[in-house]
Amino acid sequence: MLDHAPKRLKSRRLERRPPFERIALLLQGGGALGAYQGGVYQALDEANLHPDWIAGISIGAVNSALIAGNPPEQRVEKLREFWETVSRSPSGVPYFKSLEIKDETARRLLNQTRALDILLFGAPGFFSPRMPPSVLWPSGRADSVSYYDVAPLKSTLERLVDFDRINADGIRFSVGAVNVRTGNFICFDNKTDRIGVAHIMASGSLPPGFPAAEIDGEYYWDGGLVSNTPLQWVLDSRPRQDTLAFQVDLWSADGELPRDLLEAEVRQKDIQYSRPVRRPTSSNTRRCSAPLSDTCSSIFPLTCEKCRRWRCWQRRPTRKSTTSSSSSITPRVMKGSRRISSSPAARWRTTGQPATTTPFVRSGIPRC
């Protein structure tokens, strides 16, 4: 396990709720990069920004369930417990902060060694190699067509998530998946569906690593195969409400030229998974032509008071590792917390000026 918890950053706690009818948190898929989302939620919690609607896809669905399926005072703790569990070495090698490697080349080698460890032995509390291998299983079994068995994740979710709370009509909750037979994207929503562990598993069933999940006689794969963001589902909901949406982008469309095969693989995933995200984000986010100055006098600098158009700030992409080792997970959580802490929504109360980075969208009918 991690030998320390990510330190709590100095936060700006809001004394009153932002002037929006609804606050939505949108969590995308990205495997081990999902630890970044844990840091984002920690910072939102410290700033007293609690979402009314949480929607996720793939690992984002897992984090969404951990948040919505626990009382506010336990959410960060449950997120941390999950990521500490799945980041343990499957071969039992402990992680010591004092032995952290600073050299970039040595760190890369360590991460790839850990990736091989996970490839061969799985991730504790998440997945394990299927025994016997799927090629030896009888044909016609959709739930066995995968390299790994996800029974450990099912047990972990049942232990950490209160599904009765998710279905209690408190926070609105949605997860996206793809129907294997029709190829259609579908959102399971606690307004219309009784959410259970199978819905979370379906949203994260990325083939051929993980098997399709069965729900009411139909089989589903990872929602990221069609769209890696639930943004459109939130924006299309009726009745329309003025919404502050925090969309946590784990994959960047813009990036640097890869220097080796490992970076080429990560860059390929960046392009593959960010493209479906760009469509709904771009269609619902318009850049304002007014300068970032006093002309944007709205209490939320996200929206220009002059033209009522939406604003969107994009982060400069950075090189990243996609491994789930403890040495990678902890910095990822802290980076997510720092980034969202410096976003406009987290700072409006104290500065009244636009900050940098984190993209998000204001929806609703423009009042111009």
Side-chain angles (χ1 to χ4, degrees):
M1 293 182 63
L2 305 181
D3 61 354
H4 72 294
K7 64 181 180 181
R8 298 178 71 86
L9 302 175
K10 183 178 179 180
S11 63
R12 299 172 175 85
R13 189 170 183 82
L14 304 186
E15 297 176 2
R16 61 186 177 91
R17 180 183 172 88
F20 288 85
E21 296 177 280
R22 179 173 62 198
I23 297 177
L25 178 60
L26 313 177
L27 304 179
Q28 302 174 10
L33 296 177
Y36 183 95
Q37 299 169 347
V40 167
Y41 181 77
Q42 178 181 333
L44 291 176
D45 177 67
E46 291 174 0
N48 199 30
L49 280 166
H50 300 289
D52 308 299
W53 190 345
I54 304 177
I57 290 175
S58 195
I59 194 64
V62 173
N63 283 330
S64 296
L66 291 166
I67 296 169
N70 285 284
E73 65 275 9
Q74 294 181 15
R75 291 169 181 170
V76 173
E77 174 190 342
K78 295 298 184 182
L79 284 165
R80 182 177 297 123
E81 183 176 349
F82 172 81
W83 285 103
E84 286 182 342
T85 298
V86 302
S87 65
R88 293 199 311 263
S89 170
S91 58
V93 179
Y95 165 65
F96 298 102
K97 173 67 176 177
S98 59
L99 299 180
E100 185 175 353
I101 298 175
K102 304 295 184 181
D103 181 74
E104 179 65 21
T105 301
R107 183 180 178 83
R108 275 201 217 173
L109 180 60
L110 177 63
N111 283 339
Q112 293 311 305
T113 301
R114 175 60 192 275
L116 178 61
D117 196 22
I118 295 172
L119 179 68
L120 296 176
F121 304 108
F126 203 143
F127 59 89
S128 58
R130 188 175 292 282
M131 294 296 177
S134 57
V135 294
L136 302 180
W137 283 71
S139 59
R141 292 195 52 179
D143 59 350
S144 65
V145 183
S146 66
Y147 295 119
Y148 298 100
D149 180 8
V150 290
L153 176 60
K154 182 176 184 292
S155 299
T156 299
L157 290 174
E158 290 174 340
R159 176 171 59 86
L160 297 179
V161 177
D162 181 355
F163 287 95
D164 289 334
R165 174 178 287 272
I166 291 179
N167 292 295
D169 199 27
I171 294 178
R172 188 164 180 181
F173 179 85
S174 308
V175 293
V178 175
N179 187 302
V180 178
R181 184 177 55 83
T182 66
N184 293 332
F185 181 85
I186 181 172
C187 256
F188 298 105
D189 194 296
N190 64 352
K191 291 293 184 182
T192 56
D193 303 286
R194 177 76 183 177
I195 301 297
V197 67
H199 298 87
I200 314 302
M201 305 283 286
S203 185
S205 296
L206 183 64
F210 300 154
E214 182 183 6
I215 301 174
D216 297 331
E218 293 284 352
Y219 285 87
Y220 297 90
W221 273 339
D222 193 306
L225 293 174
V226 173
S227 176
N228 205 30
T229 176
L231 174 62
Q232 198 63 51
W233 176 260
V234 173
L235 296 180
D236 287 345
S237 67
R238 295 294 184 273
R240 295 290 295 272
Q241 288 184 293
D242 202 15
T243 299
L244 171 64
F246 292 90
Q247 176 170 291
V248 185
D249 289 337
L250 299 180
W251 306 101
S252 175
D254 299 321
E256 300 180 17
L257 192 66
R259 300 172 298 183
D260 53 39
L261 287 175
L262 299 178
E263 289 187 359
E265 181 183 3
V266 173
R267 185 72 195 115
Q268 177 261 329
K269 290 181 179 178
D270 267 334
I271 297 172
Q272 177 183 355
Y273 291 115
S274 67
R275 182 173 178 79
V277 171
R278 280 183 284 172
R279 295 194 195 102
T281 304
S282 299
S283 63
N284 290 286
T285 305
R286 294 175 292 170
R287 291 191 180 276
C288 176
S289 58
L292 289 177
S293 64
D294 293 338
T295 59
C296 295
S297 57
S298 172
I299 194 169
F300 262 84
L302 176 65
T303 305
C304 175
E305 189 70 23
K306 181 179 179 181
C307 64
R308 286 292 182 184
R309 289 187 177 181
W310 294 275
R311 291 187 177 279
C312 181
W313 285 273
Q314 297 291 343
R315 292 192 301 271
R316 177 181 175 84
T318 57
R319 299 187 186 277
K320 57 177 174 281
S321 165
T322 58
T323 61
S324 61
S325 62
S326 297
S327 59
S328 298
I329 291 296
T330 301
R332 205 169 290 148
V333 171
M334 296 187 66
K335 183 180 291 184
S337 185
R338 284 195 300 268
R339 289 282 181 86
I340 200 69
S341 293
S342 64
S343 72
R347 294 184 60 185
W348 74 269
R349 186 69 174 82
T350 57
T351 68
Q353 295 295 326
T356 57
T357 71
T358 311
F360 45 95
V361 175
R362 179 176 181 172
S363 71
I365 302 175
R367 294 180 289 274
C368 57

